[in-house]
Amino acid sequence: CVSDGTGAQNDIGNCGSAEGYTNGMLVSDFNGDGISDYYDTGILYLSNNGKLENKSISNLPDMFFSDHIGRVFVHDADDGDADGDGDLDIFLPIFDSTQFNYMIDGSYAGCEGCNEPLPWVMLMNDGLGNFTANTNFNVPQPLSDGSVLWATTAAIGDFDNDGFGDVAVGWFQPGQSATFSQTYENSAGAVFWNDGQNDW
């Protein structure tokens, strides 16, 4: 399931949509059994009695296995406790779009060649390594020419000490940040605060 990036045949039935996309790899204890597990975009291996088992399809959101979305790219990812419940969640500042002609919900986009940017995602852990997708991020919107302010670094931390995980990102091209919003003028990155309701 872990691709070498050379374009080997993607086995979506077992491995998720991750062929060639091996950024954002994480090794942490996601199911709380004291043994390290492995995560890589649409791939999840969890420990079970001393063995790592592929739990990608059963434990990750459907978005990683949807034909209208396809492979999902992140430049970086991080794990941490986003919702204050003591387990490890996963932050993905996704830099990708749906497949051409499709919207995020799988419907027709209304024009040939159109698509829709994918949102940033916090994969919320139930403590046993089952993840649901939270997309409640107030991020800069794409410009009319399709340009996106791309986050290439990611971190989860409780930066304001309120018990909830905030996220920090660094921009790929900080010099362009002001074109997206005055909020991001002269910005090499940003911190998105968790309001306590898992909205950032």
Side-chain angles (χ1 to χ4, degrees):
C1 287
V2 182
S3 171
D4 62 4
T6 60
Q9 181 64 37
N10 184 26
D11 185 358
I12 193 170
N14 293 316
C15 303
S17 297
E19 176 204 344
Y21 287 6
T22 55
N23 292 339
M25 294 175 283
L26 301 170
V27 176
S28 292
D29 182 12
F30 295 116
N31 61 1
D33 65 356
I35 300 173
S36 293
D37 307 303
Y38 176 79
Y39 172 80
D40 180 5
T41 315
I43 300 171
L44 178 68
Y45 277 84
L46 298 178
S47 59
N48 183 19
N49 294 321
K51 295 192 304 184
L52 286 174
E53 295 183 349
N54 186 342
K55 297 293 184 180
S56 304
I57 292 178
S58 61
N59 291 40
L60 291 176
D62 290 342
M63 66 175 288
F64 293 108
F65 312 104
S66 299
D67 289 338
H68 71 280
I69 292 177
R71 294 178 294 171
V72 174
F73 178 76
V74 296
H75 195 279
D76 194 18
D78 193 32
D79 57 71
D81 188 4
D83 53 1
D85 64 357
D87 56 42
L88 293 175
D89 309 299
I90 298 172
F91 171 55
L92 306 172
I94 294 174
F95 179 65
D96 220 327
S97 299
T98 57
Q99 297 295 307
F100 286 125
N101 307 332
Y102 290 98
M103 304 298 284
I104 290 174
D105 63 5
S107 64
Y108 175 63
C111 61
E112 292 297 316
C114 296
N115 61 358
E116 187 174 18
L118 297 176
W120 289 2
V121 174
M122 184 71 74
L123 294 177
M124 309 300 290
N125 191 351
D126 69 354
L128 299 175
N130 299 294
F131 292 92
T132 55
N134 177 317
T135 59
N136 299 330
F137 285 92
N138 183 21
V139 299
Q141 295 302 303
L143 300 180
S144 58
D145 65 1
S147 299
V148 177
L149 194 55
W150 178 15
T152 57
T153 58
I156 300 174
D158 183 9
F159 304 125
D160 55 1
N161 201 32
D162 66 353
F164 295 94
D166 311 300
V167 298
V169 299
W171 305 129
F172 172 61
Q173 294 177 310
Q176 295 181 0
S177 60
T179 62
F180 289 84
S181 169
Q182 288 184 340
T183 302
Y184 300 102
E185 189 171 0
N186 300 319
S187 167
V191 173
F192 292 81
W193 305 101
N194 189 336
D195 66 358
Q197 302 296 318
N198 299 319
D199 290 303
W200 288 268

